[in-house]
Amino acid sequence: MKDEVIRRLGPLLLAVLGLAFVPFVTSDYVLHIAIQILLWGFVYTAWSLMGKFGLVSLGHGAFLGIGAYASPLLWNYTGLTPWLGIPIGILLAVLLALIIGYPCFRLRVVGHYFALVTLALSQVALLTIVAARDITGGSLGMTPKAVGHSWYALQFPEKPYFYAIALVAWAFGLCIWHLVDLGKGRAALEAIAEDEGAAASIGINVMREKLRVTVTSAALTALGGSLLSQYFMYVNPDTLSGIAVSLQIVFAAIAGGMYSVFGPTAGGLFTIALPEILRISLGTNFVGAANTIYGALLVIFIIFMPRGIIGWVESRLAAAPAR
Amino acid sequence: MLEVSGLSKRFGHFPAVNQVSFNLRQGEILGLIGPNGSGKSTTFNLIAGAMRPSAGSIRFEGAEISGLPAHKVCHIGLARTFQIPRPFRRLSLVENVALAAHFGSSESIAESEARRRAENALETVGFSSMKVSTEGLGAAALKKLELARALATQPRLLLADESLGGLDHAEMEHAAAMLETIRTRLGITIIWVEHIMGLLMRVVDRVIVLDHGEKIFEGLPEAAAKDARVTEVYLGHART
């Protein structure tokens, strides 16, 4: 067991130590990209907790949106600190996960049907945010009242502060990924993904295990959403909720490799850094070309690397000694 | 040990099981037979908690278990196998059985203890090598895995569903002997649902015959073979 913990946490610790030096050697612009990669990587990791066990949720945009809006709304209207606003957002996302998850799991809504139910959830969340425009700012989005550098308001104009927060959140997400992936819990979820009836027949409480992983995934996604809104100091329904965001989460986690701990983060690198690089290198020469190339690469990666970028690298490394 | 009374299951207006009642004594092997569509698998699923009955009662060691979910039925000491083996292909052979040891008992056990129970169960059913994956296991080995997984939950009552299906003659003999061993060595009571009657009749203490969801016979195997209704159901005409 001890060896297993070292084997799992060793690379993570090394990665965190390496990444901790980034703010000292780079510009604010690179840090801005790095913060986004870490925060989105955290959200993609949260999604992969469910995705790798066959629970393909297209509703994570809803959980992200709840997390993103709860804290700024409470801050603007009641002055409640995000230290309380964020947990409230997480609780609301958990509640929504239970409301959707319980009947779905009870009625054995699985596979495509589960994906469709959760897809609808994404859009309901987006439309609700837009409809409540008097409070949320609707499609125009909203800005949390800025107070400058403040731990109480969790607002930092300086990038390194948020970089540190993003790094801690990301490492926390990866620890949870390992926790879910360890021992009997993982085996139970694998068994459920394959055959719920057979899993129940050997004493596995299918409902409890599925709800547990769903709630964990939703809570982490909401936390990711709230950190993204705190960082950007701006929330918009199109960028932090809805079907497009849900699909972005799914694509990135799959492209990066949802079966590997660093896979979803690689997905973050791919979805955040690549469009940025393409945008800068193409400039205004070919308007729209960056998005086209990005989309084409995504398709190619998903077709030729079904286990994602990291999964592909892992399989190459595993095959190498045999040659 | 098990008292089933007035058990019924309807799918729409179709009665798959209709007012079936029987008792099971501790330590016996009860055969549950009948032609295709007779309701034996449904009866089995109702007892195992895979389906909720429309009416009737199932009492295990005095406690009502009808309508309990499958995992709870397993926790109180009833384990089942499946007619068509349903191994978890993503897990290794030992992982398959260790998982059953872990979750099958209501008490919490350590990983090492689950593994020990899994290895014992695999040994009991005759696996010599534990270090194999479930890929490439033949019909007989998959049936053994089903049995090992059920045994790892440490049941007091085993519901064995068509343990002989898809096996050759030697494998069938072996599987039937295995069920007898499980009863005598481990003291586990067994309900054995089977389509193939010959071997079953040799092993079971009593037999229940179902037809069109209703119990048409209950008694000793020898008596069943001579019963006019049973013969008619199986052969399509009564013996003269």
Side-chain angles (χ1 to χ4, degrees):
Chain A
M1 189 68 185
K2 198 178 159 193
D3 290 348
E4 176 72 7
V5 171
I6 293 169
R7 188 184 71 75
R8 282 172 176 269
L9 293 187
L12 174 58
L13 206 64
L14 281 176
V16 170
L17 282 175
L19 289 169
F21 285 100
V22 171
F24 300 106
V25 295
T26 189
S27 65
D28 265 8
Y29 170 69
V30 175
L31 223 47
H32 170 65
I33 301 295
I35 291 168
Q36 290 183 69
I37 292 170
L38 287 172
L39 288 179
W40 279 110
F42 171 71
V43 171
Y44 302 156
T45 304
W47 180 86
S48 75
L49 293 179
M50 287 174 74
K52 70 185 181 139
F53 297 116
L55 288 165
V56 178
S57 159
L58 298 179
H60 270 49
F63 304 133
L64 195 81
I66 288 174
Y69 271 89
S71 164
L73 283 173
L74 288 166
W75 172 248
N76 281 6
Y77 289 99
T78 69
L80 190 72
T81 167
W83 293 99
L84 290 173
I86 291 173
I88 289 171
I90 292 173
L91 273 178
L92 289 172
V94 164
L95 198 67
L96 185 66
L98 288 172
I99 290 170
I100 288 294
Y102 184 82
C104 276
F105 302 151
R106 176 108 199 150
L107 299 169
R108 293 202 178 184
V109 176
V110 291
H112 303 103
Y113 297 98
F114 182 71
L116 282 175
V117 169
T118 51
L119 183 78
L121 175 72
S122 265
Q123 202 58 2
V124 167
L126 181 128
L127 293 173
T128 307
I129 292 168
V130 173
R133 62 172 67 85
D134 292 343
I135 307 165
T136 61
S139 301
L140 296 174
M142 65 174 282
T143 309
K145 278 179 199 156
V147 292
H149 181 104
S150 162
W151 277 101
Y152 181 76
L154 207 64
Q155 293 179 13
F156 308 104
E158 312 87 351
K159 300 263 181 246
Y161 280 88
F162 241 101
Y163 180 79
I165 291 170
L167 188 59
V168 170
W170 174 75
F172 171 67
L174 265 52
C175 285
I176 300 287
W177 191 96
H178 279 305
L179 210 63
V180 173
D181 196 55
L182 265 174
K184 61 173 181 165
R186 176 196 58 87
L189 285 164
E190 296 268 23
I192 290 168
E194 236 179 295
D195 189 333
E196 285 191 14
S201 81
I202 57 166
I204 297 173
N205 186 340
V206 173
M207 169 73 87
R208 192 178 64 190
E209 297 298 327
K210 283 172 88 168
L211 275 182
R212 185 151 52 191
V213 76
T214 303
V215 159
T216 308
S217 178
L220 292 181
T221 305
L223 174 60
S226 59
L227 292 177
L228 279 163
S229 66
Q230 287 297 132
Y231 173 63
F232 285 118
M233 288 294 285
Y234 172 66
V235 233
N236 182 295
D238 293 322
T239 53
L240 288 175
S241 79
I243 290 174
V245 172
S246 292
L247 290 177
Q248 176 199 329
I249 295 172
V250 177
F251 279 138
I254 292 175
M258 63 175 161
Y259 301 102
S260 319
V261 64
F262 291 111
T265 308
L269 195 71
F270 177 64
T271 52
I272 307 292
L274 188 68
E276 196 70 8
I277 292 166
L278 289 171
R279 191 175 59 81
I280 292 167
S281 54
L282 294 176
T284 52
N285 291 336
F286 305 100
V287 179
N291 280 341
T292 310
I293 296 171
Y294 166 69
L297 282 174
L298 200 60
V299 170
I300 291 167
F301 275 16
I302 289 174
I303 291 174
F304 294 103
M305 297 178 186
R307 291 184 75 82
I309 300 164
I310 299 290
W312 179 79
V313 172
E314 280 176 353
S315 66
R316 301 292 287 190
L317 290 176
R323 279 183 202 154
Chain B
M1 181 179 223
L2 186 80
E3 298 154 44
V4 175
S5 61
L7 192 64
S8 299
K9 177 71 184 174
R10 270 174 224 94
F11 296 109
H13 293 295
F14 175 72
V17 174
N18 194 13
Q19 293 291 320
V20 169
S21 302
F22 63 88
N23 287 340
L24 179 70
R25 291 186 289 271
Q26 174 110 31
E28 84 174 325
I29 301 183
L30 176 73
L32 189 58
I33 63 171
N36 280 339
S38 60
K40 51 190 193 304
S41 282
T42 307
T43 305
F44 203 81
N45 283 329
L46 292 171
I47 299 171
M51 287 177 186
R52 291 174 77 88
S54 308
S57 138
I58 307 164
R59 295 181 78 81
F60 177 64
E61 294 176 338
E64 182 65 48
I65 63 162
S66 117
L68 280 185
H71 69 274
K72 282 199 178 148
V73 171
C74 175
H75 289 164
I76 59 170
L78 275 90
R80 72 167 295 175
T81 66
F82 290 96
Q83 181 183 348
I84 297 164
R86 289 158 70 167
F88 305 122
R89 298 275 181 193
R90 295 191 206 170
L91 306 180
S92 71
L93 184 71
V94 178
E95 275 181 323
N96 259 275
V97 188
L99 192 64
H102 238 307
F103 285 89
S105 101
S106 44
E107 48 167 357
S108 173
I109 59 167
E111 219 156 292
S112 54
E113 173 61 15
R115 203 176 167 86
R116 192 190 62 76
R117 285 186 193 178
E119 284 171 359
N120 277 350
L122 284 165
E123 221 174 277
T124 303
V125 300
F127 270 106
S128 48
S129 170
M130 311 278 166
K131 286 175 185 151
V132 289
S133 81
T134 50
E135 293 297 329
L137 287 183
L142 285 172
K143 294 271 183 191
K144 281 186 197 171
L145 170 57
E146 280 286 315
L147 215 47
R149 221 164 52 177
L151 292 179
T153 66
Q154 302 199 316
R156 294 188 294 286
L157 171 58
L158 173 69
L159 306 166
D161 198 355
E162 304 215 3
S163 296
L164 308 182
L167 305 183
D168 65 28
H169 186 71
E171 288 167 344
M172 275 199 247
E173 290 282 353
H174 188 257
M178 179 79 63
L179 287 178
E180 265 192 301
T181 310
I182 286 168
R183 187 252 299 260
T184 48
R185 249 186 61 195
L186 304 175
I188 296 172
T189 309
I190 297 171
I191 300 181
W192 182 7
V193 169
E194 195 55 74
H195 198 69
I196 300 158
M197 273 177 64
L199 259 175
L200 175 127
M201 292 300 209
R202 240 175 49 204
V203 175
V204 299
D205 302 310
R206 275 188 312 135
V207 67
I208 286 173
V209 186
L210 297 180
D211 184 39
H212 290 100
E214 289 179 7
K215 185 172 84 175
I216 59 164
F217 177 86
E218 179 175 357
L220 297 173
E222 307 86 67
K226 290 175 193 153
D227 186 88
R229 265 192 89 182
V230 174
T231 318
E232 189 184 344
V233 161
Y234 269 93
L235 301 177
H237 58 83
R239 248 180 218 177
T240 49

